[in-house]
Amino acid sequence: MEANYHSDPFAPLSDAEKAGKQAPPEDVWKPITPIPDDAPQLTREFIQARLPAGYSLTTGWKYLDADGHRMCSVIRADRPANGSPAAKTFMPFAFCEGPNKKREWRAKGLSAPRPLYHLDQLAKRPNDPVLVVEGEKAVEAAASIFGSHVVVTSISGSKSAAKADWSPLRGRRVTIWPDNDPAGIAYAGDVAALLHQTDVASVGTVQVPRSWPDGWDLADELPVDVDLSKLTELMALSAQQEPEFGSWENPDLSLLGTGRRPAPTFPVELLNGWGEWVEKRAAACSAPLDYVAISLLASAAAAIGNVRWPLAGANWAEPPLLWCGLVGSPSSGKSPSMDAAFALVHHAEEQMAAGYDDERRDYETKRQTAKATREAWEAEVKASVKAGENPRQMPAEAEVPDVPPRPRIRVADATIEAIAKLAALLPRGLLLVRDELSGWFGAFDKYGGGGADRAFAIEMYGGRPYVVDRVKNADPIRIPHLSIGILGGVQPDKLAEMLSGPDDGLVARMLWAWPEALPDFSLLREQQFDHKANAAFARLVELPMSADQFGNPEPRYIQLTSEAEDFLEKYARSVAIRAHQATGVMAGALGKARGHVLRLSAVLEYLWWCIQPSDTEPSKIGADAVLAASGIVDGYFLPMAERVFGDASIPLHDRLAMVLIRRLRDEGQSAFNARDLRLSKGGPLRDAGAMDAACSALVESGVIRPAPGREGNTKGRSSKKFEVNRRLFGRAA
C-alpha cells in the first residue's frame, strides 16, 4: 500500500495546532518500528518548530535496532542563560501512523518497553562487556574512553529505567557508571535491580568519589588532578565486585548435591561375627552393606519378637522387634539385600516346619473325626427331641479344630484381619515385609476404616494384648502379644507423601537406612558361604517360649545387667534433653531412641550368641550390647533420620531441579529443549508441570537461562529452549 504522508510533514505548526485545537489526540498516533526506508527525513526545521520557546536544537541521536534499522530519534535542545538559569530539554521523535492511515513524524516517544541506545553495537559485539551510563551524550564520551566496552543507555532520563527493555543484556557482563548526584545514583540502583531480573552474567557499579563535582558524568571535563587512568582504575574496581550468588557468572550449584546431610556409615564391626557375612552379602548384591545389615537386624528381631523380651529396671520391658525402612531408587539394591536376610529366614522357617506335614495330617484326622462326631450327635439330638428327652451337650470331639498355620516369620498380607489371625496362631512374633512401604502407609483407612488401620499398625509395635472384633464372625480374634516387625523399601520421591501423615508416632517408630548408592556390580563365588549363617540364625527359632499360669504362650524376660542399666539410664537422660529441644517428627524419633536402644540391645545380644560356638543362652543383656545398641542408634539411625526427614522437607521444585541439574551435568548438555527432554527421558520430569518447576528453579539459580525462540511458526508459544551455564561443567561462563 502506498504511504499516505502529510502533504508537508515538516511545515511549521499553525497557531491552532500549537494550541492543540486541531491536532488529533496523540494516542491515535502509533509509532512504526522500524521506520520504513521511504519515510521522509526528519529535518532541523521540523524539530525546531516543535521546541518550546527560547530553546534551540543542539544535537540528536538515532536509536537503531539490532539490525541497524532506525526506530526513533532523541534530540537535545538548550536554552541560553541570558540572565535566567540555563536549561536543557530532551524530546523523542517517532514516525507514526494515525487516522486514515496517515503517516508522519510526531514528537512522540515509543511505548514501553523501549529500546536501548546502541542495540546495533550490542549485536555486532556479542562477547564484549557492557557499560551503562545515563544519557546519550555520556554514551558517546564513554565509548571514546572505554573502547573495549559497548556503551548503552535508556531513553528518557534517570526516572525511566523501568520502561526500557534490558533483555538484550542477558548473559552479558555489565558495569553501571552513575552520574555523581542523587538522581544518578538512584538510576544506577534501578538499572542494577532490573539487570538482576534479566539474568545478566554480572553487574558492577562504579563508585564515583564524593569529592568530584556534583552532577559530574563522563561527558564532562575531568575533575582537577584526575586523569583517564583514574577512570580506568574505577572501572577495574567495579569489575572486581563479587558477582551475585545465583547469577549467570556465579551460579548456585548446590542443587548438584542431594540437599540432605551426608549418609552416616553403618558400624558393621558392632555386629561382631556377622560383620563378614554382611560385607560379603552386600558385595554380592552390589548394594551398600547398610541394607543387608538392617535386613538382618529386622529379621533377627522378628525371630525372637515374643520369645525373649529385654527387661530394664523393675518393669520396663519391650518386644525386641524393629520397624525398618530402606530408602533408595529401584536399582539401589534394596530387594537383593532383603533377600539375603530372607534366605536365612527361609532356612529357619523350614526348620520350624519340620513336623508340619504330620501336624496337618493329624489335623485332617481330627477334622474328619469332628465332622463324623458332630453328625452322630446331631442325629442323637433329633432322636432325643422326638422322644421328648433333653439332648446331651455337644461333645468336645465334635468341634472342628482351627487349621494349623505353617510356622513362619515373614508375612506379606497387610490387612488387619489377616495379620491378626496369623498373630494369634503364630505367637512367636512376625515380620511384615513390603517391597514399597509407601503403599502400606498410603492404604491406611483408604476405604473408610475410621482410623482403625493406622491404630492397629501402631499397636503392632507395642506387644500388648489386642482383640480384633469381626463383623462376619461373632468370635473375636484374641492376641496375647501383638508384636509384628516391619521391613520394606521406600523410593526417595515417595518420602514426603509418606511422612506427611498424622503426628501419631507411627513414622517416629521407623529406623531408616538411606546410604549412598554404589555404582558397582560383583558376584558371590563362595557356594557354601551361607552354611554357617543359616545354622546360626536357626538357633534363634529354636528358643522356646514360656507360658503364663493359664498355659498361654508368654515371652521370657531377660534382665539387663546392673552396668547395662546404668548405661541405658544415662543415654535415656541425654536423649530426653535433645528430644525436648527438637521439633516435629525428629522430636518423635529422639523420643523413641531409648526404646530402640533397649530393643536393639536384645537383638545384638542374641545375634552375637547364635553366631558363636556356645550352647549357653544369654541369661542377661550385658553392658556391651547396650553400648553397641546406643552407638548404632546415636551414630547411625538418628543421623539417618535427619537425612530422611530433611529430604522430605525439601520443596518439590528443588527436588525436581536436583534431578534435572544432575542429568544436564552427566550428559554434558550445553543447551536443551525442555519438552523434548521430558518426553525422551521420562522419570519424575515426564510431567510438563514437573519439568517447568525444575527449569524455573534452575533459572533462579543461574544454572540455565531461556534461549530466545518460538515453537515452529506459532506466534505466542515459547520453544522452551534453554542454555546451560558452562560453569556447571567446570568451565568459565
Side-chain angles (χ1 to χ4, degrees):
M1 182 179 70
E2 184 177 349
N4 182 18
Y5 300 128
H6 191 287
S7 56
D8 184 6
F10 304 122
L13 290 178
S14 65
D15 293 338
E17 287 177 317
K18 289 181 179 179
K21 295 179 181 180
Q22 297 181 15
E26 275 302 309
D27 59 2
V28 304
W29 292 93
K30 306 298 181 184
I32 303 171
T33 56
I35 297 170
D37 292 337
D38 58 351
Q41 292 293 320
L42 179 62
T43 65
R44 175 177 288 271
E45 292 76 17
F46 180 81
I47 295 171
Q48 187 64 50
R50 284 152 179 81
L51 293 178
Y55 282 82
S56 299
L57 174 63
T58 305
T59 188
W61 302 274
K62 296 179 180 179
Y63 276 70
L64 309 179
D65 63 16
D67 296 323
H69 299 129
R70 190 178 184 185
M71 302 185 73
C72 68
S73 290
V74 173
I75 65 92
R76 169 175 172 161
D78 291 271
R79 185 183 65 188
N82 294 333
S84 61
K88 61 183 178 182
T89 187
F90 296 87
M91 291 181 64
F93 282 83
F95 190 68
C96 302
E97 184 172 272
N100 301 318
K101 302 294 183 181
K102 185 179 294 185
R103 294 184 173 186
E104 61 184 45
W105 285 97
R106 309 287 299 187
K108 181 179 180 68
L110 301 182
S111 301
R114 298 164 180 164
L116 297 176
Y117 184 54
H118 272 182
L119 283 178
D120 57 325
Q121 296 298 313
L122 286 171
K124 292 176 182 177
R125 302 164 60 183
N127 299 317
D128 288 350
V130 177
L131 177 61
V132 179
V133 297
E134 183 185 337
E136 295 84 359
K137 183 178 179 182
V139 168
E140 305 303 338
S144 65
I145 300 171
F146 305 107
S148 60
H149 287 65
V150 179
V151 188
V152 302
T153 193
S154 56
I155 298 177
S156 300
S158 61
K159 296 183 179 181
S160 300
K163 295 182 179 180
D165 178 10
W166 298 96
S167 63
L169 303 190
R170 181 180 290 118
R172 306 289 285 254
R173 292 167 292 146
V174 182
T175 301
I176 305 170
W177 194 300
D179 288 1
N180 193 31
D181 55 25
I185 294 172
Y187 174 74
D190 292 343
V191 172
L194 293 165
L195 291 179
H196 284 307
Q197 297 174 16
T198 307
D199 194 24
V200 296
S202 64
V203 179
T205 302
V206 173
Q207 303 300 313
V208 179
R210 294 186 177 181
S211 60
W212 290 14
D214 184 51
W216 185 91
D217 65 30
L218 288 169
D220 295 330
E221 292 185 5
L222 291 174
V224 178
D225 298 328
V226 173
D227 57 20
L228 291 179
S229 65
K230 179 61 177 178
L231 303 185
T232 304
E233 178 186 347
L234 291 175
M235 279 284 285
L237 289 174
S238 70
Q240 292 173 9
Q241 295 177 2
E242 182 68 23
E244 182 183 4
F245 188 58
S247 66
W248 190 252
E249 187 173 84
N250 187 17
D252 177 4
L253 300 180
S254 63
L255 290 172
L256 275 173
T258 60
R260 65 187 75 96
R261 64 170 293 160
T265 301
F266 185 86
V268 69
E269 67 278 0
L270 296 181
L271 299 180
N272 289 350
W274 285 97
E276 181 184 4
W277 179 86
V278 167
E279 290 173 341
K280 289 190 175 182
R281 266 300 178 185
C285 297
S286 300
L289 61 81
D290 311 50
Y291 291 155
V292 178
I294 292 166
S295 297
L296 171 65
L297 290 175
S299 299
I304 61 171
N306 275 334
V307 181
R308 300 290 184 268
W309 280 22
L311 176 63
N315 57 2
W316 180 20
E318 295 198 16
L321 61 90
L322 304 173
W323 286 9
C324 301
L326 311 183
V327 185
S329 65
S331 59
S332 58
K334 301 188 302 294
S335 294
S337 298
M338 288 191 289
D339 289 343
F342 294 159
L344 302 177
V345 173
H346 175 72
H347 183 269
E349 288 176 334
E350 289 298 308
Q351 182 169 311
M352 295 167 66
Y356 180 69
D357 291 342
D358 291 338
E359 189 177 356
R360 278 299 301 254
R361 283 190 288 269
D362 183 59
Y363 160 76
E364 288 296 333
T365 300
K366 290 180 179 179
R367 188 177 70 85
Q368 292 299 330
T369 300
K371 182 179 179 182
T373 302
R374 186 180 183 91
E375 290 174 353
W377 172 74
E378 288 175 347
E380 189 179 315
V381 168
K382 289 180 181 179
S384 297
V385 172
K386 188 174 183 180
E389 301 173 353
N390 290 327
R392 71 184 179 97
Q393 188 180 27
M394 186 183 77
E397 296 81 8
E399 189 168 351
V400 178
D402 289 330
V403 180
R406 183 182 178 87
R408 65 170 114 168
I409 297 172
R410 290 180 299 167
V411 295
D413 194 333
T415 62
I416 290 180
E417 187 162 333
I419 293 180
K421 288 175 64 176
L422 287 171
L425 294 171
L426 298 171
R428 294 181 64 91
L430 297 168
L431 178 65
L432 175 62
V433 178
R434 304 289 291 182
D435 284 339
E436 181 52 66
L437 281 175
S438 63
W440 181 58
F441 272 71
F444 287 147
D445 307 315
K446 184 177 181 181
Y447 303 105
D453 290 353
R454 196 173 184 97
F456 179 80
I458 293 174
E459 289 297 327
M460 287 165 38
Y461 185 81
R464 289 176 287 272
Y466 199 83
V467 177
V468 177
D469 293 310
R470 296 183 288 181
V471 175
K472 297 181 180 179
N473 193 325
D475 189 20
I477 302 173
R478 301 180 185 278
I479 309 165
H481 296 283
L482 181 56
S483 302
I484 302 175
I486 298 172
L487 177 63
V490 185
Q491 295 186 34
D493 59 353
K494 302 288 187 181
L495 275 175
E497 180 181 355
M498 181 176 171
L499 301 180
S500 63
D503 186 13
D504 53 10
L506 184 64
V507 171
R509 288 166 165 80
M510 298 292 299
L511 296 173
W512 302 96
W514 192 356
E516 301 295 345
L518 298 180
D520 195 10
F521 180 80
S522 59
L523 296 172
L524 179 65
R525 302 185 183 278
E526 298 181 47
Q527 297 296 328
Q528 301 300 320
F529 178 71
D530 278 342
H531 178 73
K532 179 182 177 181
N534 284 335
F537 192 90
R539 299 181 70 188
L540 299 177
V541 301
E542 295 171 355
L543 294 168
M545 290 191 72
S546 296
D548 63 16
Q549 58 181 328
F550 306 107
N552 298 315
E554 182 78 3
R556 181 182 299 174
Y557 296 91
I558 308 299
Q559 185 79 44
L560 272 64
T561 66
S562 177
E563 186 181 11
E565 288 180 341
D566 290 343
F567 282 131
L568 179 59
E569 191 173 41
K570 184 182 296 184
Y571 177 77
R573 286 172 179 165
S574 68
V575 82
I577 296 173
R578 291 155 60 190
H580 181 71
Q581 296 171 343
T583 58
V585 69
M586 195 62 208
L590 286 163
K592 293 294 180 185
R594 62 177 182 267
H596 282 139
V597 169
L598 179 61
R599 292 168 180 244
L600 196 53
S601 67
V603 176
L604 291 174
E605 191 73 66
Y606 276 87
L607 270 177
W608 295 346
W609 162 74
C610 72
I611 198 70
Q612 299 298 331
S614 172
D615 294 330
T616 304
E617 178 189 342
S619 59
K620 296 275 189 178
I621 296 175
D624 287 346
V626 172
L627 285 173
S630 62
I632 294 175
V633 170
D634 217 54
Y636 182 82
F637 283 124
L638 288 179
M640 195 60 83
E642 293 178 346
R643 175 175 166 88
V644 170
F645 300 154
D647 184 77
S649 68
I650 297 174
L652 176 61
H653 63 274
D654 278 351
R655 296 202 303 272
L656 294 170
M658 291 173 187
V659 176
L660 179 56
I661 190 174
R662 288 195 293 270
R663 180 171 292 169
L664 295 174
R665 180 199 58 186
D666 294 344
E667 298 180 2
Q669 297 194 46
S670 59
F672 69 98
N673 183 296
R675 182 177 183 277
D676 293 345
L677 183 62
R678 72 177 181 82
L679 294 178
S680 64
K681 299 297 183 181
L685 299 177
R686 176 80 181 188
D687 177 75
M691 177 60 82
D692 288 345
C695 289
S696 178
L698 293 190
V699 167
E700 184 178 350
S701 299
V703 176
I704 64 174
R705 63 186 178 193
R710 294 287 174 189
E711 188 90 21
N713 295 321
T714 60
K715 294 182 178 180
R717 183 178 177 183
S718 171
S719 67
K720 293 186 179 293
K721 292 180 180 178
F722 293 89
E723 179 185 356
V724 181
N725 197 319
R726 291 166 56 88
R727 294 183 184 273
L728 179 62
F729 314 113
R731 302 190 295 272

